[in-house]
Amino acid sequence: MNMLNAKTAGSMGSQPAQRPDFMSSLLLNRWIKGGIVAGPLIILMVGFLFIPLSYIVWGSLEGSKFNFSHYTRVFSSEINFNILLRTLHIGLIVTVISVTAAYPVAYLLTKLKAGALSTVSIFILIPLFTAFLIRTYAWMIILGREGIINNALIGLGFTSTPLPLLNTTFAVVVGMAHVFIPTAIFTMYSSMVRIDHEFARAAQILGAKPVQAFLRVYLPLTLPAVFSASILIFITAIGFYITPALLGGPSDTMISQLIVAQMTTLLNFELGYASSIVLLLVTICILFVASFFVPLEMIWSSSTAASSDEELRSGARLLRHLKRAIGPALLVTETVLHGATRPLLTHDARWLWAYTIVVLVFLTAPLIVVVILSFSSSPFVVFPPPGFSLQWWQKLANAKEWHQSFFFSVQLGIASAFVATIIGTMGAFWLVRTKFLFKRMLFLFSLSPLMVPVVIIATSLYVFEARLRILGTFGGLVMGHVLLSVPYVIVVMAAALRNFDESLEPAASVHGARPLQVLRYITLPILKPALLTAGLLAFLTSFDELLVGIFLLGRQTPTLPIKFWGDIKYQIDPLLSAASTLIVILVAASIITVQLVRARHNARTAVSTAE
Amino acid sequence: MSTSLEMQNIQKFYGPLHVVKDFNLHIKPGEFVTFLGPSGSGKTTALKMIAGFETLTSGDIFLGGQSIVDLPAYERGIGMVFQNYALFPHMTVAENVAFPLTVRKASRQEAGEKITRALHLVKMDQYKGRYPNQLSGGQQQRIALARAIVFNPSILLMDEPLGALDRHLREHMKIEIMRIQKELNMTVVFVTHDQDEALTMSDRIAVINEGRLAQVDDSRTLYGKPKNRFVASFVGESNMIPCRVDSVDNAAGRVTLAGAAPGLAQLSGQSKGDQGWIFIRPENVEISARSPSSDLPNTLDGVVESALFLGEMTRYLVRCGEETITVKRQNRGQPHFAGGTPVTVFWKAEDCTVLN
């Protein structure tokens, strides 16, 4: 019976094919329809990702000369090789810190009721969607010579001269952890929320101590979530540009900075290409290894996670043997931990709450610092500010270039979000609704812009668009941003489509709705919240985007992030705080609006019935 | 409102899988026909072909004498109630019921009247402004029904509509659906795997097994005179005892039961020497304390294996040699036989039939 249902779902709407008029029969042909729906996505991926990447590969070899010397330079030059190692090193540290710090918070979130959950998640969502630049800027204020930390330490008499906190590895790690903790929380939460807490209760009623129930039942169930979050963070971290560039010192250079420097200032293109390819290969290797442990699509889209009855992956089998080997040690650890944690396990999870609040403060405090600083009376970045004044807001109100950048970014964001939502939604329909082989592969393929480090996408689009002579045009920039945001749209829309009750469309159709009426009255209205979310994500992706902008922008108005970037590097003053505050407020307002729309829609359409 | 439906020699293949075989069925206007079969028997596929969600591999379907196989679902003018109701979650009750009229661009006034009438018919007048998730399962069911009949469809299809309801509601909705069907004199095709639903509600029942129509008859005939072993065992409870036909006398015959005992039974076309199965309903089997052995036909000696008290009746399992006979007795003051009691079971010749 299931198979029969699946069959109908697959062929839904593509019914009797002997209609007289030509257009309809054309639309009813499964291949033609598939082509129309999938076409834009495939053109985007192949045309703006794979072909440009092949240009880079070709360029790194100096074309048909097959000259591998640039690769040799990446590995033999001690400076370059050290940069590569350092990148991996910092990436690893940041990953471990972010995931460890985020796990308890994600765990607490899974236990919360809807009301508390939405309150807490606002405190995580706002930092998550605040531009990397603004968050990094906040850390520059906090860690600076006259920042809060140094001022506090001096005030308390621990030290007499300011500590050099900024431009250190420490600063890079803190800044990046701040960037990735919200990501880690949400990635892990979205798969952890589907693990039933009854499992742990069942373990306890069967005699497991709380620690044992957690270590032996709950934790193992969450390991795929932890692992996929780690992979996501690691591959993003090693391609990261903004934070290391602004918070790190010269000895903290990461590989993205190397590539940007080669491409924009040193103009050593081949070495830039070769470094990009090395970074790309490292990323691909990591993903390849990871695919032995978790299904790759789970990394970006936890809703597609494989069902548990699937065969154990080879990697997981390896882990099982390992676990058996360390069994006795585990038992001792459990007993010790049980003794240690017993007083902490209160019924209201007080310690977990305390910890979560500390994390939330860590996540939001930098933003608050930025807001406070925007009202500073001092012309310098000093914290706490010596007095209150609106001078920076007045300056912002009169700063023509800021206004231009702002409106240009909004325009760009809307254009990119619009195009990305259409392409991504059509692609998601194609990926979810059609039956074909290699469906998983194609889903991964459509997420590939998330796997390729942004700096490489920027470099390759730069070369490619220069060839096409669309470099520096608005359209060229939009395409770059569309490429980066389409995967988010696909993830959101594919999840929504998978949850779509598949009997609704036949119900509409049998009661007389033509295919376009079904789309207008049923499909799109039900998908509205998902479309809004997808559009917002696409807009924010474009609105925050720096690297692609730097590479593809011509002599136009700089986008907001580029303007911001230029000013930060030139001189940091409280004007940036005022600008940041404004942006944070706008972003927060749009997130809250979308959340409210979703909540209203969900309250109405939730599947549950009022018995 | 009432239209005939004719299915002519319908075949459906999914690749090599033959899921619907040689369907030939004529449904009269105003008739309530149930497709009854186990899951995977092809009954839902047959329904989907009528609705237009599945194409036919071959054959033809006529609605009121017109072939509909080339029409897409939305031009067939059929009403349908889905298994999970498929109410549109983003529309109010009124909007849901209005949907078939909205997409047909009915005038506002006409639509208003029809919606009111449909909601009144299902007794849901007060719930117009609610959203589906604010309704109970039974109420959602009523709205789904109202939506399916609001535009005077030529025929109403129902795909296991009562499956999701609890027992009490199900009984209630059965009667409601029958009332509405009679009131509108609607042609209904109802799909279910539940024999009680089928027996209570239908004018005729089409029993489907492995894609084939096993028997199409009204409830009484189907229950009393099943044509084959599948129908006999799928509809109601039954005893099947292997037998051999010894002599034929009109439609009745002398048989040998379970290799030993003599018997008399109705025949369904068997001739002398044929092997078959005696079919007998548990409620038609009499049970009494073991009597001195006699040569009466259709009598077996056995021992009570279990006696289950079910309230209005007692259900005995009696072991007679190789065979276990199920006996159902109304509890009306007869003697009770505990487990282990030696008993004799017997039945009348007109209550049993030989099936192939």
Side-chain angles (χ1 to χ4, degrees):
Chain A
M1 201 56 121
N2 265 337
M3 195 207 65
L4 301 191
N5 285 341
K7 283 273 187 187
T8 8
S11 58
M12 205 153 50
S14 62
Q15 289 314 311
Q18 300 108 328
R19 307 243 44 225
D21 59 315
F22 179 69
M23 265 314 282
S24 301
S25 62
L26 202 67
L27 276 171
L28 289 172
N29 182 305
R30 156 163 190 254
W31 289 103
I32 294 174
K33 214 168 76 171
I36 293 171
V37 177
L41 178 67
I42 293 177
I43 292 170
L44 179 76
M45 291 299 158
V46 173
F48 286 83
L49 185 65
F50 286 81
I51 295 178
L53 279 180
S54 63
Y55 270 61
I56 297 276
V57 176
W58 196 242
S60 71
L61 301 172
E62 291 184 30
S64 50
K65 280 195 221 155
F66 289 106
N67 182 350
F68 283 89
S69 65
H70 304 293
Y71 288 93
T72 331
R73 273 167 72 197
V74 175
F75 290 100
S76 61
S77 138
E78 201 164 316
I79 299 174
N80 293 344
F81 190 62
N82 277 342
I83 288 178
L84 182 61
L85 286 185
R86 191 181 307 120
T87 305
L88 296 177
H89 183 204
I90 292 182
L92 192 66
I93 296 177
V94 168
T95 305
V96 171
I97 291 180
S98 313
V99 171
T100 321
Y103 188 90
V105 180
Y107 175 75
L108 181 73
L109 288 186
T110 63
K111 294 212 156 197
L112 291 185
K113 295 210 173 58
L117 181 67
S118 52
T119 317
V120 173
S121 54
I122 288 281
F123 284 97
I124 305 165
L125 277 174
I126 292 175
L128 180 66
F129 285 112
T130 304
F132 294 146
L133 268 172
I134 295 177
R135 290 194 264 171
T136 307
Y137 166 71
W139 284 104
M140 292 171 79
I141 301 169
I142 295 172
L143 299 174
R145 283 181 69 84
E146 298 198 54
I148 317 173
I149 296 190
N150 271 324
N151 278 351
L153 288 179
I154 292 169
L156 293 171
F158 287 119
T159 171
S160 51
T161 51
L163 297 176
L165 295 172
L166 203 57
N167 302 328
T168 59
T169 314
F170 169 76
V172 175
V173 170
V174 170
M176 284 173 74
H178 185 253
V179 164
F180 289 120
I181 286 175
T183 317
I185 294 176
F186 274 111
T187 317
M188 290 194 286
Y189 167 74
S190 55
S191 32
M192 279 162 76
V193 73
R194 271 173 302 193
I195 297 166
D196 198 338
H197 285 288
E198 290 293 326
F199 287 135
R201 283 187 205 120
Q204 289 197 35
I205 210 87
L206 294 170
K209 300 180 182 101
V211 168
Q212 282 178 317
F214 178 77
L215 285 181
R216 293 185 175 229
V217 178
Y218 193 80
L219 184 67
L221 285 171
T222 59
L223 279 184
V226 173
F227 191 74
S228 40
S230 308
I231 296 294
L232 174 66
I233 291 170
F234 188 72
I235 64 170
T236 320
I238 60 173
F240 221 58
Y241 177 68
I242 295 170
T243 312
L246 291 180
L247 297 182
S251 64
D252 299 304
T253 312
M254 287 174 67
I255 194 162
S256 295
Q257 291 164 272
L258 177 72
I259 297 171
V260 173
Q262 303 288 1
M263 298 292 301
T264 56
T265 49
L266 304 176
L267 301 183
N268 193 340
F269 292 111
E270 283 77 19
L271 188 60
Y273 298 158
S275 316
S276 302
I277 298 302
V278 169
L279 176 58
L280 184 59
L281 287 178
V282 170
T283 312
I284 291 173
C285 281
I286 291 163
L287 289 174
F288 180 73
V289 173
S291 70
F292 288 104
F293 293 87
V294 289
L296 278 189
E297 58 270 40
M298 186 183 168
I299 295 176
W300 294 276
S301 151
S302 61
S303 62
T304 49
S307 52
S308 52
D309 51 57
E310 194 185 318
E311 274 272 301
L312 277 181
R313 289 184 172 256
S314 43
R317 238 176 284 145
L318 192 85
L319 278 183
R320 199 171 53 181
H321 293 304
L322 188 75
K323 207 172 75 185
R324 219 168 278 159
I326 60 164
L330 188 63
L331 211 60
V332 177
T333 324
E334 278 169 1
T335 320
V336 173
L337 277 177
H338 177 61
T341 54
R342 207 161 171 188
L344 301 181
L345 294 175
T346 54
H347 213 72
D348 49 2
R350 207 178 302 151
W351 291 96
L352 196 55
W353 268 108
Y355 174 81
T356 301
I357 288 166
V358 169
V359 171
L360 293 185
V361 168
F362 172 73
L363 292 181
T364 39
L367 303 184
I368 294 167
V369 167
V370 169
V371 174
I372 295 174
L373 194 68
S374 71
F375 297 102
S376 171
S377 60
S378 158
F380 306 106
V381 174
V382 185
F383 203 93
F388 176 85
S389 112
L390 286 177
Q391 55 170 330
W392 301 109
W393 286 95
Q394 279 159 1
K395 277 212 175 119
L396 186 66
N398 296 323
K400 268 259 171 59
E401 353 52 293
W402 277 97
H403 300 173
Q404 279 169 358
S405 290
F406 176 77
F407 286 115
F408 181 68
S409 267
V410 169
Q411 244 177 16
L412 181 64
I414 290 175
S416 317
F418 188 71
V419 178
T421 309
I422 291 176
I423 296 182
T425 305
M426 283 164 68
F429 264 94
W430 177 61
L431 288 167
V432 174
R433 291 277 176 94
T434 1
K435 297 229 158 267
F436 42 76
L437 292 169
F438 311 122
K439 201 162 166 165
R440 253 197 77 211
M441 294 283 289
L442 281 166
F443 188 66
L444 282 177
F445 163 80
S446 65
L447 300 185
S448 50
L450 296 179
M451 306 177 199
V452 182
V454 181
V455 64
I456 300 177
I457 292 182
T459 315
S460 63
L461 279 178
Y462 171 71
V463 179
F464 180 66
E465 295 200 349
R467 281 283 181 88
L468 286 187
R469 300 190 184 285
I470 55 169
L471 190 65
T473 62
F474 186 72
L477 193 52
V478 168
M479 286 321 288
H481 283 181
V482 166
L483 182 68
L484 294 180
S485 27
V486 151
Y488 295 109
V489 176
I490 288 181
V491 167
V492 171
M493 294 313 295
L497 279 171
R498 285 198 191 95
N499 289 331
F500 197 94
D501 179 350
E502 59 181 45
S503 65
L504 293 181
E505 286 170 346
S509 151
V510 78
H511 290 136
R514 288 155 189 288
L516 283 178
Q517 285 179 315
V518 175
L519 196 67
R520 184 176 132 211
Y521 288 118
I522 307 299
T523 317
L524 291 182
I526 293 178
L527 292 176
K528 193 176 79 181
L531 282 168
L532 266 177
T533 310
L536 180 67
L537 277 178
F539 177 83
L540 291 177
T541 307
S542 157
F543 198 69
D544 291 352
E545 206 291 322
L546 176 69
L547 274 180
V548 169
I550 290 181
F551 275 79
L552 299 188
L553 199 71
R555 256 166 289 154
Q556 311 175 38
T557 329
T559 64
L560 203 55
I562 297 178
K563 170 80 183 138
F564 209 101
W565 176 250
D567 280 25
I568 282 192
K569 294 219 301 193
Y570 171 64
Q571 175 196 11
I572 62 169
D573 64 22
L575 178 64
L576 290 172
S577 289
S580 306
T581 306
L582 194 63
I583 297 170
V584 171
I585 289 171
L586 290 177
V587 168
S590 58
I591 292 169
I592 292 171
T593 315
V594 170
Q595 284 279 77
L596 286 179
V597 172
R598 278 187 79 107
R600 224 186 60 173
H601 184 96
N602 288 344
R604 217 183 257 172
T605 60
V607 201
S608 69
T609 54
E611 285 296 351
Chain B
M1 185 99 196
S2 57
T3 311
S4 67
L5 178 78
E6 171 130 31
M7 304 176 81
Q8 268 182 9
N9 201 23
I10 289 173
Q11 315 283 346
K12 176 70 185 176
F13 284 90
Y14 286 131
L17 222 64
H18 199 175
V19 291
V20 172
K21 302 168 190 161
D22 313 321
F23 250 61
N24 276 301
L25 185 63
H26 180 85
I27 298 174
K28 294 190 283 287
E31 197 176 17
F32 193 121
V33 171
T34 299
F35 289 177
L36 174 67
S39 45
S41 60
K43 57 187 192 303
T44 301
T45 310
L47 194 77
K48 282 179 175 160
M49 290 193 289
I50 301 174
F53 304 142
E54 286 285 352
T55 50
L56 286 65
T57 308
S58 69
D60 210 341
I61 302 178
F62 296 93
L63 197 57
Q66 299 249 271
S67 170
I68 53 168
V69 287
D70 289 345
L71 292 179
Y74 51 85
E75 286 178 6
R76 295 190 179 191
I78 289 175
M80 184 160 177
V81 177
F82 288 74
Q83 193 165 8
N84 61 353
Y85 320 133
L87 293 178
F88 307 128
H90 60 300
M91 296 183 182
T92 61
V93 163
E95 285 164 349
N96 261 288
V97 176
F99 185 81
L101 306 170
T102 315
V103 293
R104 288 182 171 81
K105 306 198 166 66
S107 77
R108 187 172 290 258
Q109 192 201 350
E110 185 199 347
E113 284 166 15
K114 285 187 171 173
I115 296 162
T116 312
R117 201 171 342 130
L119 284 175
H120 184 70
L121 200 62
V122 297
K123 300 180 181 159
M124 290 289 288
D125 316 63
Q126 313 94 314
Y127 295 89
K128 273 192 174 174
R130 300 267 188 105
Y131 282 93
N133 71 342
Q134 297 168 314
L135 302 175
S136 71
Q139 292 170 326
Q140 292 188 18
Q141 169 78 83
R142 286 162 186 273
I143 300 305
L145 187 57
R147 181 178 68 181
I149 59 178
V150 71
F151 61 111
N152 301 334
S154 50
I155 178 172
L156 177 64
L157 308 180
M158 305 183 95
D159 186 8
E160 311 222 6
L162 306 177
L165 300 180
D166 65 45
R167 200 183 137 89
H168 179 71
L169 258 175
R170 194 153 52 210
E171 293 306 317
H172 187 70
M173 280 310 293
K174 270 189 211 170
I175 295 166
E176 283 290 296
I177 291 174
M178 287 162 73
R179 172 180 69 79
I180 292 166
Q181 189 247 339
K182 287 281 163 319
E183 217 169 303
L184 301 177
N185 186 30
M186 242 176 344
T187 314
V188 174
V189 179
F190 188 97
V191 164
T192 185
H193 61 264
D194 182 311
Q195 40 159 318
D196 290 342
E197 283 171 20
L199 291 174
T200 332
M201 303 173 73
S202 330
D203 293 321
R204 279 194 299 159
I205 300 172
V207 181
I208 301 174
N209 184 34
E210 291 174 352
R212 212 177 278 283
L213 282 172
Q215 184 171 359
V216 186
D217 262 316
D218 64 277
S219 307
R220 278 170 196 284
T221 318
L222 201 70
Y223 188 80
K225 300 262 178 253
K227 278 188 183 152
N228 53 45
R229 287 190 63 203
F230 174 78
V231 177
S233 57
F234 191 72
V235 181
E237 237 186 319
S238 58
N239 289 300
M240 296 282 184
I241 309 161
C243 69
R244 192 186 65 235
V245 180
D246 297 328
S247 69
V248 180
D249 177 16
N250 284 336
R254 293 197 164 275
V255 296
T256 306
L257 291 173
L264 266 175
Q266 313 286 318
L267 296 180
S268 54
Q270 290 84 359
S271 50
K272 188 179 169 189
D274 285 355
Q275 300 285 340
W277 300 80
I278 288 273
F279 151 79
I280 171 102
R281 294 287 181 197
E283 64 270 26
N284 291 334
V285 183
E286 303 287 342
I287 184 169
S288 65
R290 180 78 64 86
S291 50
S293 78
S294 68
D295 279 346
L296 286 174
N298 300 340
T299 304
L300 295 174
D301 285 342
V303 175
V304 174
E305 208 168 67
S306 71
L308 292 180
F309 178 73
L310 300 174
E312 83 270 25
M313 65 170 79
T314 305
R315 189 165 178 274
Y316 296 101
L317 286 180
V318 181
R319 173 150 288 278
C320 308
E322 293 284 283
E323 305 303 316
T324 306
I325 311 278
T326 309
V327 183
K328 278 187 189 162
R329 294 281 81 195
Q330 289 277 327
N331 291 327
R332 284 157 58 180
Q334 305 98 321
H336 177 79
F337 304 100
T341 319
V343 291
T344 300
V345 295
F346 56 98
W347 58 89
K348 294 185 204 137
E350 58 265 37
D351 287 335
C352 63
T353 314
V354 180
L355 299 176
N356 288 324

